[in-house]
């Protein structure tokens, strides 16, 4: 009985690839849930403010709770990831984060709301570091860009959460009811997501329990420059997110619909840019993507400031979002590749710096706008884009922080050949006048030309030198 070979289209998937695909889908779900849960809170802020009878200053104090919780939690999360592994931290942080949104439904005073937001901020900060580290390990094991697509799912989740929150507000649903339903749905979705996660990395990048990973002191300067690159990108994103609609409404004098469309096209452009960012980075390289994107962002931001007309500002915001879409994911991925021994603390450093910029950027724009005007304050955006373009070279694969640069392969082969000839001469099989030490077995001629016109230092010259030393028979 003859067995016909299976068609190529029906070839079964290997168990290892199946596990990797399942784990990748689980991580996609984690990124999506991270964006969806927190984004559902933003459309309900006005209703929560009215229900608790808060003033603008009191609301500002409450909103600081997210920063007060997340900023200290991120460095601690980096140490936890280095000790226990990113998968373990995700499996704990995601259920806590999904449950923390329900605490907002129980807040009846300013203090309770601030504490609830602090817990939510600590949970999201821990989850952010752990999931980015896990994505970095998976990207390094797959040897292809994936970080931008993970962040694209985060952006898609944020758009979904904001849309659901807006629909709930328009339908008269109480904020507490929405937060409770969101927590229940996120907890149900988190169970299969965290169960699908697998240890990632080809060379054991998932740390062993009980191990710690720290950044070498000599590499901290480079990590600071990479953090500055992430700071510039996220500060631009935060400024457009919080001040884009205000600029369209107050400085450009656009209507409410057009002002809202400015942020909508910006968010959509960022989502689409991140979903396509991996393919673009694989084709052009991360340096070109970040540098060209920063230049597009700078030109678009300058055009929106110089020509304050709605028909130009709205497309310019879309160009800004498209330009910076893949930049921060590529920075995080580059940090993970360049610091393979300590990806958790390195990712935590970049994430903490970027998150601080995302939070501190809008108040900085507001301070400058209060003294110099909003249009002048937004000139900070093209300046930051220029700085990001100048720092994009830090993502080059040839300038990794793993150690000193390796010698040229051609030079290494030549050195091995000379060592082999020297060792042969030392055994006495060649001329009786063989040199006594390997370093003097073959004298490499100086640069120039010998009496026969052969360029010194070339392979032909080395061959002549070996014959002259009696190491090669004529």
């Amino acid at each position: 009985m003859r067995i016909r070979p299976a068609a190529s289209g029906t070839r079964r998937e290997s168990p290892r690839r199946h596990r990797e695909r399942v784990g990748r889908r689980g991580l996609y779900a984690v990124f999506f849930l991270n964006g969806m849960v927190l984004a559902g809170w933003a459309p309900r802020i006005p209703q929560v403010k009215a229900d608790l009878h808060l003033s603008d200053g009191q609301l500002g104090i409450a909103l600081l709770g997210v920063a007060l919780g997340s900023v200290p939690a991120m460095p601690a999360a980096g140490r936890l990831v280095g000790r226990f592994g990113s998968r373990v931290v995700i499996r704990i942080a995601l259920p806590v984060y999904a449950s923390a949104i329900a605490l907002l439904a129980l807040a009846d005073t300013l203090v309770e709301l601030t504490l609830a937001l602090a817990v939510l901020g600590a949970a999201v900060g821990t989850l952010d570091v752990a999931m980015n580290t896990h994505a970095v390990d998976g990207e390094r094991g797959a040897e292809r860009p994936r970080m931008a697509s993970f962040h694209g799912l985060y952006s898609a989740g944020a758009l979904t959460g904001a849309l659901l929150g807006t629909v709930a507000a328009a339908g008269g649903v109480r904020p507490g009811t929405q937060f409770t339903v969101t927590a229940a749905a996120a907890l149900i979705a988190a169970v299969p997501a965290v169960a699908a996660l697998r240890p990632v990395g080809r060379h054991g990048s998932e740390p062993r329990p009980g191990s710690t990973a720290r950044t070498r002191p000599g590499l901290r300067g480079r990590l600071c420059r990479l953090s500055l690159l992430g700071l510039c990108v996220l500060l631009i994103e935060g400024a457009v997110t919080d001040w884009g609609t205000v600029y369209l409404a107050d400085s450009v004098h656009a209507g409410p619909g057009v002002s809202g469309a400015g942020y909508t096209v910006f968010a959509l452009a960022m989502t689409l840019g991140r979903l396509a960012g991996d393919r673009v980075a694989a084709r052009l390289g991360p340096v070109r993507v970040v540098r060209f994107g920063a230049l597009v962002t700078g030109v678009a931001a300058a055009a929106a400031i110089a020509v304050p007309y709605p028909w130009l500002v709205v497309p310019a915001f879309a160009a800004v979002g498209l330009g910076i879409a893949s930049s921060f994911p590529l920075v995080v991925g580059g940090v993970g590749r360049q610091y393979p021994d300590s990806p958790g603390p390195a990712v935590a450093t970049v994430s903490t710096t970027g998150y601080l910029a995302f939070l501190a950027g809008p108040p900085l724009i507001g301070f400058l706008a209060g003294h110099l005007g909003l249009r002048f304050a937004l000139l900070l955006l093209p300046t930051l884009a220029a700085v990001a373009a100048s720092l994009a070279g830090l993502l080059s694969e040839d300038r990794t922080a793993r150690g000193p640069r390796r010698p040229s392969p051609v030079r290494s082969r030549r050195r091995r050949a000379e060592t082999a000839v020297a060792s042969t001469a030392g055994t006495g099989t060649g001329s009786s006048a063989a040199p006594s030490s390997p370093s003097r077995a073959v004298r490499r001629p100086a640069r120039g030309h010998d009496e026969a016109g052969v360029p010194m230092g070339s392979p032909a010259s080395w061959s002549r030198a070996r014959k002259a030393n009696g190491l090669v028979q004529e």
Side-chain angles (χ1 to χ4, degrees):
M1 179 179 177
R2 297 180 60 185
I3 300 177
R4 298 179 60 184
S8 60
T10 60
R11 186 170 52 188
R12 294 184 61 183
E13 187 179 32
S14 66
R16 183 180 65 84
R17 290 187 177 275
H18 176 73
R19 290 192 297 268
E20 291 178 353
R21 181 170 55 83
V22 172
R24 187 164 58 250
R25 290 181 177 178
L27 190 57
Y28 280 137
V30 171
F31 272 83
F32 184 88
L33 290 173
N34 189 356
M36 185 195 73
V37 171
L38 189 60
W41 147 255
R44 309 315 305 268
I45 292 178
Q47 184 65 40
V48 172
K49 176 187 175 183
D51 291 344
L52 300 183
H53 307 287
L54 302 177
S55 64
D56 292 339
Q58 291 174 328
L59 178 62
I61 295 174
L63 294 178
L64 280 177
V66 179
L68 293 176
S70 60
V71 171
M74 284 182 171
R79 292 189 291 271
L80 291 174
V81 168
R83 183 173 181 84
F84 300 106
S86 56
R87 184 174 59 155
V88 174
V89 178
I90 292 175
R91 288 180 169 179
I92 297 175
L94 182 57
V96 173
Y97 171 59
S99 304
I101 192 68
L103 296 177
L104 301 178
L106 304 177
D108 292 327
T109 63
L110 172 62
V111 175
E112 293 176 354
L113 180 62
T114 304
L115 292 177
L117 289 174
V119 174
L120 184 65
V124 71
T126 304
L127 179 61
D128 187 77
V129 172
M131 72 180 189
N132 275 291
T133 306
H134 201 75
V136 163
D137 289 339
E139 184 182 57
R140 188 170 61 243
E143 295 183 353
R144 57 172 294 185
R146 295 190 186 277
M147 187 62 65
S149 62
F150 285 121
H151 282 257
L153 265 294
Y154 172 85
S155 298
L159 286 175
T160 302
L163 178 62
L164 292 177
T166 302
V167 172
V173 179
R174 301 294 303 172
T177 304
Q178 177 196 330
F179 298 149
T180 304
V181 173
T182 300
L187 278 173
I188 294 174
V191 173
V194 298
L197 296 177
R198 295 291 184 269
V200 292
R202 179 173 299 177
H203 304 289
S205 54
E206 187 80 7
R208 298 186 303 269
S211 65
T212 57
R214 296 181 180 180
T215 303
R216 297 194 300 271
L219 305 178
R220 292 174 182 171
R222 183 180 184 84
L223 184 59
C224 289
R225 294 193 296 272
L226 286 167
S227 300
L228 178 61
L229 175 57
L231 180 147
C232 293
V233 173
L234 287 188
L235 203 153
I236 293 174
E237 180 182 349
V240 177
T241 299
D242 289 358
W243 289 99
T245 55
V246 178
Y247 176 72
L248 278 166
D250 296 346
S251 300
V252 184
H253 306 292
V258 177
S259 300
Y263 174 73
T264 302
V265 298
F266 171 77
L268 286 175
M270 286 202 64
T271 302
L272 296 177
R274 286 176 171 176
L275 291 176
D278 289 335
R279 292 188 293 271
V280 178
R283 185 177 182 86
L284 301 179
V287 175
R288 292 181 179 178
V289 172
V290 174
R291 182 170 291 158
F292 182 73
L295 294 176
V296 170
T297 297
V299 172
I305 297 170
V307 186
Y309 293 100
W311 58 268
L312 178 62
V313 175
V314 173
F317 281 174
V320 170
L322 190 63
I324 65 172
S326 301
S327 297
F328 188 73
L330 291 176
V331 171
V332 175
V335 168
R337 289 190 301 272
Q338 297 184 23
Y339 295 83
D341 298 332
S342 56
V347 171
T349 300
V350 174
S351 299
T352 304
T353 306
Y355 197 72
L356 281 173
F358 190 83
L359 294 176
L364 176 61
I365 296 292
F367 175 79
L368 295 176
H371 292 80
L372 304 173
L374 183 56
R375 289 185 63 188
F376 188 87
L378 290 180
L379 288 175
L380 184 63
L381 302 187
T383 304
L384 293 170
V387 175
S390 66
L391 295 175
L394 294 170
L395 300 176
S396 174
E397 294 294 333
D398 295 334
R399 299 177 60 187
T400 59
R402 299 181 183 181
R405 181 176 295 180
R406 296 180 178 179
S408 169
V410 176
R411 188 174 300 173
S412 299
R413 287 196 297 268
R414 290 174 177 172
R415 187 175 294 116
R416 287 195 298 268
E418 292 176 1
T419 304
V421 172
S423 61
T424 303
T427 60
T429 58
S431 171
S432 58
S436 59
S437 62
S439 61
R440 299 181 60 187
V442 177
R443 296 181 180 277
R444 294 183 59 184
R447 288 293 178 181
H449 294 77
D450 59 12
E451 65 279 0
V454 178
M456 291 187 174
S458 65
S461 178
W462 292 329
S463 177
R464 289 170 57 86
R466 287 192 291 269
K467 292 179 181 180
N469 284 287
L471 302 179
V472 179
Q473 296 181 356
E474 296 286 350

